[in-house]
Amino acid sequence: MILALKSGRLSAQDWIEAFAAKMPELEVRVWPDCGDRAEVDVLFTTRIPKGEVASFPNLKFVALVAAGADRFLADPDIPAHLPIVRAYNPEQALTMKAWVVYQVIRHHREMPQYEADQKAHRWDRRPVLQPRFVRVGVMGLGQLGGAAARSLADLGYDVAGWSRGGRGIEGVDDFIGPDGLMAFLARTEILIGILPFTRETDRLLDGPAFAALPKGAYVINCGRGELIVEKDLLAALDSGHLSGAALDVFRQEPLPADHVFWDHPKITVTPHNSSTSSAWGAVDIVIENIRRYQNGEPLRATIDRQAGY
Ligand code: NDP
């Protein structure tokens, strides 16, 4: 089997070493110098110029290097029959849930205020609300959102999740689809977005959605920036309806240097870094699917092109 690699954040060498260690018989060619493209069986990429996928005529599947199929699926020339395997890697869930739990605790336990108190040499023991009285809502209960919701439930928070079909995670109340959205928002004091960017999730968190959250609610977003209507978020923060936001993803990335989010006193910004993974962990799903293909078994962790994730 021959795999053509177009790496993203990690160097091509990282991937080559991980594949060589775990599947030495796999030939890896680095895009764009892939030799005869008709020989390539698997394309491993996320961001590749439009039209490039169609230039490999005999692909068995495409495997995504990074999570989130939205940017890849924007190419209209991708053959309709071509299976797309998502980035699926336990490391990603591990790092994402740690970032989410950190942001929840930082807000719930008033860490910015205690840091200010320390600077002022002020000893002020404020009462701590027990986690079971803090209602957290996770939008998206997949690989990443599901892991975060489980961890928060384990920490004792009152956790609900919103998804298309419900996931039945122990300790997490399911709210389902558009019909369940307003009730989900109305009960949620700390809202966490870990949704893919699709037609349905684009601009989902707008003025009416923020207004449905209880006064003082806090918003965390680490799925895709397109979820949020930025001017509506700013209005809800500035009116005092929302108490703050921690944002890892943005409509425009990198976040422009003159963007108002950088200096906003109620907004915490991280540079799309909430979840990371190594080549060592990320090649497993690709190798598993190559073996499945060779054995005539159905591929695992494929994207539903219709749903967009
Ligand atoms: P999954 O595909 O595993 O899960 C997606 C979840 O979103 C599912 O629970 C799904 O519902 C739900 N969902 C999708 N569309 C809707 C909708 N219209 N209404 C309600 N629920 C919906 O994705 P992951 O957990 O792996 O990742 C989520 C997103 O996080 C990725 O798509 C990517 O964009 C982003 N991401 C961000 C990173 C970062 O560093 N900031 C890193 C990696 C990913 P159901 O359960 O019913 O299918």
Side-chain angles (χ1 to χ4, degrees), residues 176-189:
I176 295 173
D179 291 347
L181 181 60
M182 283 300 158
F184 167 79
L185 294 172
R187 54 76 63 201
T188 293
E189 294 162 316

Side-chain angles (χ1 to χ4, degrees), residues 9 66-71 86-88 92 96 139-146 162-167 175-178 193-201 204 221-224 248-249 253 272-276 303 307-309:
R9 273 206 259 186
D70 45 289
R71 293 191 175 91
R86 49 179 305 177
Y88 188 87
Q92 214 148 31
M96 176 67 91
M139 303 182 86
L141 293 176
Q143 177 193 204
L144 305 178
W162 184 73
S163 62
R164 287 204 311 160
R167 290 276 176 138
F175 287 77
I176 295 173
I194 317 185
L195 283 166
F197 171 36
T198 67
R199 277 187 307 277
E200 285 78 29
T201 62
L204 195 63
N221 189 28
C222 52
R224 280 289 180 264
D248 184 56
V249 288
E253 295 183 4
H272 199 142
N273 217 21
S274 53
S275 152
T276 64
I303 301 285
Y309 71 97

